């Protein structure tokens, strides 16, 4: 899982690549541009981008794949370009850069704008979930909800929305919560204040 897959915007990215003339000529569909599916991914690392090296008397270590060089895809898939970039290069874009790159695609723009709104413009689209801090993960979940088109009445229940978030980034969260409130949606959030026990 990474930022692009978690927010759902990678589905739109893969469709954009599949719609290129080059992909159509080669018979590539959107599945070809998934690093989880055989055909488009690198067979050596199975789309992970790294391999596990077994060392005799030491713990195993992970190293970039020697075949795809960490790009996760095979060369034939990487030969297809959308606006000059291949799919691996798109995953290396930051949210801020991707917002400019995909300006003409409303579904992707909406998802990226929500991420930017909660202060995550510096993250890469291909940033692995395991590399995120607790505060970043909280904001990604919030942004994922913000970008969805809601119908009818909605109640959001947030458990400590600013937990693990630096003071400077809390502003972004409160700003996003205010936007949700201004849209007429109901928000219930809790915060836990631990009082020191007097001795």
């Amino acid at each position: 899982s990474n930022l692009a897959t978690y927010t759902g915007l990678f589905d739109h990215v893969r469709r954009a690549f599949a719609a290129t003339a080059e992909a159509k000529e080669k018979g590539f569909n959107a599945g070809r541009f998934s690093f989880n599916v055989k055909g488009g991914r690198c067979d050596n690392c199975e789309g992970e981008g790294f391999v596990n090296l077994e060392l005799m008397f030491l713990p195993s270590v992970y190293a970039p794949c020697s075949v795809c060089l960490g790009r996760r895809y095979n060369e034939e898939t990487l030969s297809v370009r959308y606006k000059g970039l291949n799919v691996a290069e798109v995953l290396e874009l930051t949210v801020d850069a991707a917002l400019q790159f995909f300006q003409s695609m409303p579904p992707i723009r909406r998802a990226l704008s929500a991420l930017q709104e909660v202060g995550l413009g510096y993250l890469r689209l291909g940033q692995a979930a395991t590399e995120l801090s607790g505060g970043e993960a909280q904001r990604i979940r919030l942004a994922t909800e913000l970008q969805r088109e809601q119908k009818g009445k909605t109640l959001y229940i947030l458990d400590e929305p600013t937990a693990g978030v630096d003071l400077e980034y809390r502003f972004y969260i409160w700003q996003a919560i205010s936007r949700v409130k201004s849209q007429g949606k109901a928000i219930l959030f809790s915060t836990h204040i631990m009082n020191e026990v007097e001795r």
Side-chain angles (χ1 to χ4, degrees), residues 42-55:
C42 170
D43 288 330
N44 187 57
C45 65
E46 297 183 342
E48 294 287 339
F50 55 83
V51 291
N52 185 2
L53 299 176
E54 301 273 339
L55 303 175

Side-chain angles (χ1 to χ4, degrees), residues 172-185:
Y172 293 107
I173 291 178
W174 293 121
Q175 190 176 31
I177 288 172
S178 295
R179 182 165 77 95
V180 170
K181 186 180 171 187
S182 71
Q183 293 171 349
K185 298 176 178 75

Side-chain angles (χ1 to χ4, degrees), residues 23 33 99 187:
F33 300 96
L99 190 54
I187 303 168

Side-chain angles (χ1 to χ4, degrees), residues 16-38:
F17 273 94
T20 62
E22 194 173 2
K24 287 178 180 176
E25 187 181 311
K26 294 183 178 191
F28 293 170
N29 60 18
R32 177 76 188 209
F33 300 96
S34 171
F35 48 77
N36 293 320
V37 179
K38 279 186 177 181

Side-chain angles (χ1 to χ4, degrees), residues 1-2 50 122-124 126-134 136-137 140:
S1 178
N2 61 33
F50 55 83
Y122 60 90
L123 290 180
R124 290 178 295 107
Q127 190 113 16
T130 54
E131 297 174 4
L132 301 169
S133 71
E136 288 169 337
I140 288 171

Side-chain angles (χ1 to χ4, degrees), residues 120-194:
L120 295 174
Y122 60 90
L123 290 180
R124 290 178 295 107
L125 298 189
Q127 190 113 16
T130 54
E131 297 174 4
L132 301 169
S133 71
E136 288 169 337
Q138 283 267 49
R139 287 183 283 155
I140 288 171
R141 285 192 287 272
L142 182 58
T144 302
E145 284 301 316
L146 287 174
Q147 57 129 357
R148 289 189 181 150
E149 291 181 8
Q150 301 291 338
K151 294 178 181 174
K153 297 179 180 178
T154 306
L155 169 66
Y156 288 103
I157 301 173
L158 306 174
D159 183 24
E160 289 205 318
T162 57
V165 179
D166 291 339
L167 195 58
E168 65 179 293
Y169 288 110
R170 289 184 185 187
F171 166 77
Y172 293 107
I173 291 178
W174 293 121
Q175 190 176 31
I177 288 172
S178 295
R179 182 165 77 95
V180 170
K181 186 180 171 187
S182 71
Q183 293 171 349
K185 298 176 178 75
I187 303 168
L188 174 67
F189 60 90
S190 67
T191 183
H192 309 286
I193 301 171
M194 305 298 288

